[in-house]
Amino acid sequence: QSQRGGGWVTSALSARLAAAGEVEVVYELAERRRARDLYERLQLSALWRDNDQIMRTKEHGRMVHSLEYVRTMLPDTESALILLDAGEHGSAGTALILTKQSLTSYPLPSAETVSPTIRRLVARLESGQQEGPDAAHLGAALLAGAMPVLEKEGIRRLVLLPEGVLNRVPFDVLRLDGRYVAERFQTAV
């Protein structure tokens, strides 16, 4: 997974804004970054195909979805969208939890902190071994902060949107309070 340009600036800013209660601003920044990344990938893809149908700048703005629009796309009150962005270059990361009722955030560790644990967990699973203690450590680091909101709102389904190194996390095998995430929630990544 390649590193985003200027990602540490965005991570640090998002973490500070979230800590100050500006969760909607953090959402807007994350959504704009996702739209920009998608736009750039589509542009590159069009260039590789030698395609004259390169998107115009005004189309880029249409890829940004408002908070209310995304909230209407949640199928029911038992579903939540969790955006997970580990901080880069030692900065704290931020997770956003969007439900029909609320938008909240909680801090995440930096990518440098969780990367070794992710690598070990993935290596163990790929070699056919049990997940070991790393599943509980990552569950605590990445999802435990969401549990108060998820339990309070009766959430049973999670749509997880990991960024960067978190794309490698096998979320279903993470453990929370001794149980697999897949035992507690229906998940989609």
Side-chain angles (χ1 to χ4, degrees):
Q1 191 63 253
S2 64
Q3 203 168 21
R4 303 187 301 264
W8 69 273
V9 173
T10 304
S11 296
L13 178 62
S14 293
R16 288 184 137 190
L17 286 168
E22 297 292 339
V23 183
E24 289 187 22
V25 174
V26 175
Y27 169 83
E28 181 72 22
L29 285 172
E31 185 62 19
R32 287 186 182 277
R33 186 183 64 232
R34 285 177 178 281
R36 185 178 56 245
D37 289 348
L38 177 60
Y39 174 76
E40 290 170 356
R41 288 179 185 166
L42 290 172
Q43 290 286 56
L44 186 57
S45 176
L47 289 172
W48 282 343
R49 289 189 316 265
D50 196 27
N51 189 340
D52 290 332
Q53 301 200 357
I54 295 176
M55 298 170 65
R56 302 293 172 243
T57 303
K58 67 180 182 179
E59 293 172 349
H60 171 247
R62 282 187 266 180
M63 289 188 229
V64 177
H65 297 298
S66 73
L67 179 61
E68 288 311 312
Y69 174 77
V70 174
R71 185 171 274 142
T72 64
M73 299 306 291
L74 290 172
D76 54 40
T77 59
E78 294 181 337
S79 299
L81 176 71
I82 303 181
L83 291 89
L84 299 128
D85 189 3
E88 294 177 359
H89 302 289
S91 294
T94 305
L96 298 174
I97 310 167
L98 177 64
T99 67
K100 288 280 193 186
Q101 294 85 15
S102 65
L103 173 66
T104 57
S105 68
Y106 62 94
L108 290 177
S110 70
E112 292 82 7
T113 302
V114 295
S115 289
T117 309
I118 294 169
R119 281 193 298 272
R120 277 193 313 270
L121 176 60
V122 169
R124 290 179 65 85
L125 295 173
E126 287 177 347
S127 68
Q129 298 177 39
Q130 291 289 336
E131 70 278 352
D134 291 330
H137 292 140
L138 284 173
L142 302 178
L143 295 174
M147 291 309 295
V149 171
L150 301 178
E151 289 172 350
K152 177 184 171 195
E153 296 191 23
I155 300 299
R156 296 182 11 194
R157 285 176 286 285
L158 302 179
V159 177
L160 302 162
L161 296 171
E163 290 281 341
V165 69
L166 299 182
N167 279 300
R168 299 259 309 137
V169 175
F171 285 95
D172 285 346
V173 302
L174 299 188
R175 289 186 172 268
L176 291 166
D177 298 324
R179 293 174 56 199
Y180 288 112
V181 169
E183 292 176 329
R184 298 182 80 150
F185 303 100
Q186 295 174 9
T187 62
V189 179

